[in-house]
Each structure stands twice: as C-alpha cells, then as structure tokens.
C-alpha cells in the first residue's frame, strides 16, 4: 500500500491499497460519520477486528479503527458481547505516536458515544485507562488539530455521561501539573454542571470537595483554567442561592474554605460589585 497526505487545514491520511483482483481503491481513515458505509460481509470484518486493533502496524490500526466505526454504526449487534474488550484497545491507540492513529481513535470514540450513549459510562473510572481521562489528556497536550478533535469528543462524552461521574473523575485531576490539562478539567466540570438544576442536592456526596476544588481552579495561575473555574463557582453559587440566602452562602464559605481561598473569594466578589 502507499500513503498519501492530502492538502487540507489539518492532515488527512488516505491509504491506497490494492484489493483482491488488483482492484485499487483508497481508504480515508478519517472519513466523517455521515459518509461511513455498511459492509457487505460484516461478520468477517467483526471477527478480525480485535486482531487489527492489536496490530503494531499503524496503517492496520487506522484501518481497524475505521472498520470499528462502520461496525458500530451499521452492524453493532455483531459485537455486543465484545465491546468491553475492544474499547480498551481504542483507548490505547490514543497513546500512539502517529497522529493519524490518534485522530482515528478519537473519531472511533465519537462513534462509540453515538452508539452506546449513556452506556459508555462503564468505561469511565479512576484508572489510567479511563476513556474520559484519556480524552482530557489528548485535548490538552498534542498537535493543535488533535487537541481540537479531542476537545470536541470531550464535549460529546460529557453530554451523555451522568454529571456525578464526570465530577467524580474531574475532582481527582484538579491539581495536575500541566496548566492546559487543568483547563480542560475545569471545562469538563463546567459543561457537566450545566445539566444539573440543584448542585447541592444532586451532588451531595461531593459538594464540599467540589466547592473547594472549584475555588482552587478559579484562582489558578492559568488564565483559561481560571475562566472555566469561575464559571463553575458561579453555577454552584446560583444553585445554592435558589434555596438559601446570601448570608448562608457566606457562612458555608467560612466553614469550608481555608484563609487563602476566602481572601481570594472576597477579592473576586469585590471586583464583581465594583463592576456593577
């Protein structure tokens, strides 16, 4: 086969292969979901899928990821019992040194979200293989076109995941050493909390920790982290004030925030008042 790089705002990799009978055709590894086509022999493809996703050949990996997407979209019933063992291979592809493989894996995760919807939460936990953690990582430290794709996939993931799961994972990541990673964690929290009406009630198990970590993010040294962190704080405050007074909000802060954070909150509120 021969690899061709096509001129485009971001790299598109097309692999020209010679099929049986010398019929030549091209595979766009990063084809849009709307342009995917069903297989005429889906059972045969599904049987070979895991072997392809374990390949050490990057072109075969990309092809396997593309075929996984087509199976998910048109023939998902064929792999219902194998999804649990296939998804970790896709997450592993996110660590590949080839950008073509990483982008193909992100597109595959996007298709998984469309196919599994809320059931994708079985692949979200506190481990290093957590699909949410892996996508946050790619959205914060990669080539620009990969980060853009990963940011989009992160939004799709959060849209279908229960807020409590996103928050539980995000709270473990707020002290990450990389500023851009913390920004994506704050973004994830902000997006997830948009789906919650009563934060204090629906996230009671994590409420105090969420309060602490959100103020920490809102006072981060990194501008984008501060912006998303501030939006999280605003959502928590707005939710609290629906059922409680401003004095009770201040009492809650006094009880649960350390001196440095309290001073930061006071400065932030003073700036808000002065801007009115």
């Amino acid at each position: 086969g021969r690899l061709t790089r096509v001129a485009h705002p971001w790299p598109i990799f097309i692999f020209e292969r010679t099929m049986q009978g010398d019929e030549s055709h091209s595979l766009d590894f990063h084809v849009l979901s709307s342009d995917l086509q069903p297989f005429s022999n889906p059972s045969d493809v599904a049987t070979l899928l895991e072997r392809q996703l374990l390949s050490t050949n990057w072109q075969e990996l990309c092809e396997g990821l593309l075929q996984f997407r087509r199976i998910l979209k048109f023939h998902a019933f064929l792999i219902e019992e194998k999804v649990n063992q296939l998804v970790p291979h896709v997450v592993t592809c996110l660590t590949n040194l080839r950008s073509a493989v990483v982008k193909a894996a992100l597109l595959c995760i996007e298709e998984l979200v469309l196919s599994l919807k809320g059931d994708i939460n079985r692949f979200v936990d506190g481990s290093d293989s957590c699909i949410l953690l892996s996508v946050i990582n790619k959205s914060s430290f990669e080539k620009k076109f990969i980060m853009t794709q990963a940011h989009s996939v992160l939004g799709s993931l959060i849209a279908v995941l229960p807020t409590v799961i996103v928050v539980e994972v995000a709270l473990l990541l707020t002290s990450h050493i990389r500023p851009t990673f913390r920004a994506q964690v704050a973004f994830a929290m902000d997006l997830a909390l948009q789906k919650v009406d009563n934060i204090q009630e629906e996230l009671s198990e994590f409420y105090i920790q969420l309060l602490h970590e959100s103020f920490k993010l809102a006072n981060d040294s990194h501008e984008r982290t501060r912006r998303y962190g501030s939006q999280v704080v605003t959502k928590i405050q707005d939710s609290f004030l629906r059922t409680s007074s401003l004095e009770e909000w201040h009492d809650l802060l006094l009880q649960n925030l350390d001196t440095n954070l309290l001073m930061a909150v006071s400065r932030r509120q003073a700036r808000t008042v002065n801007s009115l």
Side-chain angles (χ1 to χ4, degrees):
R2 181 165 60 89
L3 184 69
T4 304
R5 181 164 176 164
V6 182
H8 200 274
W10 58 84
I12 292 180
F13 296 91
I14 295 178
F15 187 57
E16 296 182 356
R17 303 189 63 186
T18 301
M19 304 299 286
Q20 191 172 6
D22 291 328
E23 179 187 355
S24 179
H25 80 182
S26 297
L27 285 177
D28 178 358
F29 292 141
H30 306 142
V31 64
L32 296 174
S33 179
S34 57
D35 293 330
L36 293 173
Q37 298 295 322
F39 288 107
S40 59
N41 58 336
S43 296
D44 294 341
V45 175
T47 300
L48 297 173
L49 202 51
E50 185 168 21
R51 191 180 76 181
Q52 284 185 297
L53 294 176
L54 286 170
S55 175
T56 56
N57 180 293
W58 74 270
Q59 294 160 345
E60 190 170 358
L61 274 177
C62 284
E63 186 172 354
L65 290 161
L66 174 60
Q67 292 183 340
F68 193 5
R69 292 173 64 202
R70 293 171 67 185
I71 291 287
L72 283 166
K73 185 164 186 173
F74 300 106
H75 319 283
F77 65 95
L78 290 172
I79 56 169
E80 284 178 352
E81 297 181 359
K82 298 175 64 177
V83 167
N84 283 359
Q85 63 195 68
L86 292 174
V87 171
H89 301 325
V90 177
V91 175
T92 298
C93 286
L94 291 177
T95 64
N96 197 282
L97 296 179
R98 290 272 189 174
S99 296
V101 176
V102 175
K103 184 172 174 68
L106 287 167
L107 290 169
C108 194
I109 291 172
E110 188 89 72
E111 206 67 50
L112 279 163
V113 171
L114 293 172
S115 178
L116 299 179
K117 298 182 172 61
D119 285 344
I120 203 166
N121 64 19
R122 60 185 134 147
F123 304 109
V124 178
D125 54 30
S127 70
D128 289 341
S129 61
C130 167
I131 198 167
L132 180 60
L133 169 59
S134 299
V135 173
I136 288 174
N137 192 43
K138 284 291 128 179
S139 69
S140 66
F141 187 65
E142 253 291 358
K143 294 177 181 176
K144 187 173 182 179
F145 78 96
I146 293 293
M147 290 172 64
T148 300
Q149 183 72 49
H151 187 78
S152 173
V153 173
L154 180 58
S156 299
L157 262 176
I158 292 168
V160 300
L161 286 171
T163 296
V164 66
I165 290 180
V166 177
V167 169
E168 185 176 8
V169 172
L171 288 174
L172 300 173
L173 306 173
T174 55
S175 297
H176 196 280
I177 192 171
R178 190 189 312 140
T180 52
F181 186 100
R182 296 195 302 274
Q184 290 302 95
V185 170
F187 164 76
M189 290 174 64
D190 178 41
L191 204 57
L193 291 176
Q194 291 179 19
K195 302 190 295 180
V196 179
D197 287 328
N198 190 325
I199 295 174
Q200 190 173 14
E201 182 179 306
E202 296 180 46
L203 300 172
S204 57
E205 182 181 354
F206 304 102
Y207 188 71
I208 297 303
Q209 186 183 2
L210 177 60
L211 191 65
H212 274 83
E213 299 304 318
S214 62
F215 277 114
K216 187 168 73 176
L217 291 169
N219 290 282
D220 196 273
S221 59
H222 184 250
E223 188 276 330
R224 198 151 47 92
T225 306
R226 288 198 305 274
R227 174 156 43 91
Y228 288 128
S230 296
Q231 290 172 193
V232 171
V233 170
T234 299
K235 286 182 176 64
I236 295 172
Q237 179 176 318
D238 290 347
S239 175
F240 185 90
L241 294 178
R242 289 182 187 179
T243 56
S244 306
S245 68
L246 187 59
E247 289 74 16
E248 289 174 302
W249 169 253
H250 288 158
D251 287 342
L252 181 68
L253 300 186
L254 285 169
Q255 293 167 18
N256 295 287
L257 297 184
D258 61 35
T259 305
N260 289 333
L261 280 177
L262 275 172
M263 290 174 63
V265 173
S266 298
R267 289 195 298 270
R268 188 174 300 279
Q269 291 182 335
R271 288 197 298 271
T272 302
V273 170
N274 291 334
S275 67
L276 295 178

